[in-house]
């Protein structure tokens, strides 16, 4: 067991501040909101504060009335929050939207190679035959949650297939780090850089597999997930900065420290439960708390980032604004601290 020292009341107060700030943002039905509201859902589950749930219901109901957008891999991130709403309210309309997203991913979403989901950000063929680490959070983790809830083996196997191939395409076996993306057409990693938040998407979603699956050891792909996460976290602890954070390009000392990646990586360490990671989580907690303001803004979060062409592209992504994914990953991390 990890033995991290923290003040429970302080963490609860921070969860409340970050949640309220997140709910005050003008987010739309897209992946930033999907990650943000996943975090709010986790905050609700951790604290039991029904106001958080009521605010989510109010927002979703208004959006349903105005009309929902077309589905993409990125918009499927909204499904995480909808699962929670259905579980807590029993209102079938939320589950119907969840299953509509599942139907899209299973039947309409672009795939390549061994049935791997292509990362899509619009209804266009944005990035032909490209696998991005982001897809694990937006789609694979979502499919696994639904498949586990329904005990649907086809959904579970599809989700685990996404994990398996994203590991094969994106993890560097030599270092244990993850690349941002993979181009199946050109058979390369494009920028060839270890982007911090890509590593957070990989680590965090892999850390959620075993808790979701009954008899996880009966699924061969879970062995790949377990070993991939083990090697990744072993590598990540070596590039944690003195401030307890991880950089936007992990192994580049001239890249800035990035808080959303740090939250996802530290949360993965908590979920993985290796007691030898205690000191790294302790350092991360200090560094992350220093980037949360009194009014609940999570600072030091890089903007939305495509697979950039070169190192300078990543170094120059701005981090001057609060972002939905920063708020959501911070809430996931803070909630995990209180598990």
């Amino acid at each position: 067991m990890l033995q991290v020292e923290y003040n429970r009341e302080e963490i609860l107060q921070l969860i409340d501040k970050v949640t309220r700030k997140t709910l005050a943002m003008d987010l739309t039905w897209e992946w930033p909101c999907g990650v943000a509201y996943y975090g709010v859902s986790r905050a609700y589950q951790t604290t039991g504060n029904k106001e958080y749930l009521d605010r989510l219901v109010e927002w979703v109901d208004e959006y349903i009335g105005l009309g929902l957008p077309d589905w993409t891999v990125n918009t499927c991130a909204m499904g995480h929050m909808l699962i929670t709403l259905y579980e807590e309210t029993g209102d079938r309309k939320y589950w119907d939207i969840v299953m509509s997203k599942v139907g899209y991913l299973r039947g309409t979403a672009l795939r390549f190679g061994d049935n791997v989901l292509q990362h899509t950000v619009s209804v266009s063929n944005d990035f032909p035959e490209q696998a991005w680490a982001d897809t694990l959070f937006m789609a694979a983790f979502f499919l696994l949650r639904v498949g586990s809830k329904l005990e649907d083996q086809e959904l579970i196997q599809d989700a685990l297939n996404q994990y398996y191939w994203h590991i094969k395409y994106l993890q560097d076996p030599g270092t244990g780090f993850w690349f941002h993306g993979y181009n199946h057409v050109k058979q390369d990693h494009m920028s060839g850089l270890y982007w911090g938040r890509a590593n957070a998407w990989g680590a965090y979603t892999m850390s959620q597999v075993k808790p979701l699956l009954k008899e996880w050891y009966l699924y061969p792909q879970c062995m790949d997930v377990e070993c991939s996460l083990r090697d990744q976290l072993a590598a990540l602890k070596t590039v944690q900065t003195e401030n307890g954070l991880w950089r936007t390009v992990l192994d580049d000392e001239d890249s800035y420290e990035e808080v959303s990646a740090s939250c996802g990586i530290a949360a993965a360490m908590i979920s993985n439960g290796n007691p030898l990671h205690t000191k790294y989580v302790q350092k991360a907690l200090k560094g992350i708390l220093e980037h949360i303001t009194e009014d609940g803004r999570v600072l030091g979060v890089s903007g939305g980032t495509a697979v950039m062409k070169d190192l300078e592209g990543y170094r120059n992504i701005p981090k001057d604004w609060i972002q939905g994914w920063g708020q959501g990953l911070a809430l996931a991390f803070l909630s995990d601290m209180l598990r």
Side-chain angles (χ1 to χ4, degrees):
M1 295 288 290
L2 280 85
Q3 302 292 330
V4 180
E5 296 180 3
Y6 62 89
N7 183 310
R8 182 178 179 83
E9 286 306 311
E10 179 188 11
I11 300 298
L12 285 170
Q13 290 172 13
L14 284 171
I15 288 174
D16 188 63
K17 291 174 182 178
V18 175
T19 298
R20 292 182 186 281
K21 184 60 182 178
T22 304
L23 290 168
M25 297 172 71
D26 273 342
L27 297 170
T28 60
W29 197 286
E30 252 294 351
W31 76 271
C33 188
V35 183
Y37 285 3
Y38 169 77
V40 173
S41 299
R42 290 292 316 282
Y44 163 71
Q45 292 165 336
T46 299
T47 67
N49 188 333
K50 193 170 181 297
E51 183 183 350
Y52 304 162
L53 181 71
D54 291 342
R55 292 282 301 279
L56 290 177
V57 167
E58 180 183 5
W59 184 92
V60 171
D61 287 353
E62 182 177 3
Y63 225 110
I64 292 173
L66 294 169
L68 301 179
D70 293 322
W71 298 157
T72 65
V73 163
N74 270 353
T75 58
C76 285
M78 295 298 297
H80 288 292
M81 173 264 297
L82 292 166
I83 294 172
T84 301
L85 291 194
Y86 174 67
E87 290 174 341
E88 295 299 321
T89 69
D91 193 328
R92 187 75 192 186
K93 68 186 178 189
Y94 304 129
W95 189 249
D96 288 343
I97 300 173
V98 167
M99 293 311 295
S100 173
K101 291 179 182 291
V102 169
Y104 160 76
L105 290 172
R106 294 276 290 158
T108 307
L110 295 171
R111 297 190 182 222
F112 66 91
D114 290 85
N115 217 22
V116 180
L117 284 165
Q118 174 180 308
H119 192 74
T120 54
V121 302
S122 75
V123 294
S124 301
N125 186 5
D126 307 290
F127 306 105
E129 296 193 27
Q130 289 186 20
W132 292 17
D134 313 48
T135 298
L136 285 181
F137 185 92
M138 316 305 165
F141 176 31
F142 166 62
L143 284 175
L144 189 63
R145 290 185 69 191
V146 178
S148 177
K149 183 176 178 62
L150 296 177
E151 298 185 354
D152 184 319
Q153 291 304 314
E154 287 191 10
L155 280 183
I156 291 171
Q157 290 294 342
D158 191 8
L160 292 177
N161 185 63
Q162 303 309 315
Y163 278 94
Y164 176 85
W165 283 106
H166 279 77
I167 290 168
K168 296 299 182 186
Y169 287 148
L170 297 177
Q171 188 167 29
D172 179 359
T175 65
F177 297 139
W178 279 47
F179 297 104
H180 188 173
Y182 172 77
N183 188 318
H184 192 248
V185 176
K186 296 183 178 180
Q187 303 280 298
D188 65 20
H189 293 105
M190 296 176 280
S191 66
L193 295 170
Y194 307 128
W195 183 46
R197 197 156 59 237
N199 280 265
W201 295 136
Y204 182 76
T205 57
M206 287 195 294
S207 75
Q208 301 303 303
V209 172
K210 285 170 67 173
L212 275 174
L213 285 180
K214 298 176 183 176
E215 299 184 320
W216 66 271
Y217 43 83
L218 297 179
Y219 298 91
Q221 302 97 320
C222 285
M223 310 301 174
D224 290 286
V225 171
E226 182 179 40
C227 293
S228 171
L229 181 60
R230 177 200 65 199
D231 291 354
Q232 186 192 22
L233 293 181
L236 286 168
K237 72 181 188 183
T238 69
V239 291
Q240 186 181 30
T241 71
E242 286 301 311
N243 296 320
L245 302 176
W246 282 268
R247 300 186 185 280
T248 198
V249 176
L250 294 175
D251 58 344
D252 173 40
E253 292 188 357
D254 291 325
S255 287
Y256 57 75
E257 295 171 331
E258 206 282 326
V259 174
S260 70
S262 301
C263 288
I265 292 166
M269 286 182 170
I270 295 171
S271 294
N272 195 49
N274 186 334
L276 295 176
H277 290 157
T278 295
K279 60 185 177 183
Y280 303 101
V281 175
Q282 191 75 63
K283 279 180 67 176
L285 175 63
K286 182 177 184 296
I288 290 165
L289 294 191
E290 289 174 351
H291 285 79
I292 300 177
T293 67
E294 276 299 310
D295 63 345
R297 290 173 292 132
V298 181
L299 306 180
V301 175
S302 63
T305 308
V307 181
M308 306 303 287
K309 293 181 179 180
D310 52 32
L311 183 58
E312 285 305 309
Y314 287 97
R315 287 176 175 173
N316 291 321
I317 295 293
K319 59 179 179 68
D320 299 327
W321 307 91
I322 64 169
Q323 306 287 358
W325 50 91
Q327 302 291 116
L329 287 170
L331 287 171
F333 168 70
L334 293 171
S335 296
D336 279 350
M337 286 297 306
L338 300 183
R339 287 168 60 169

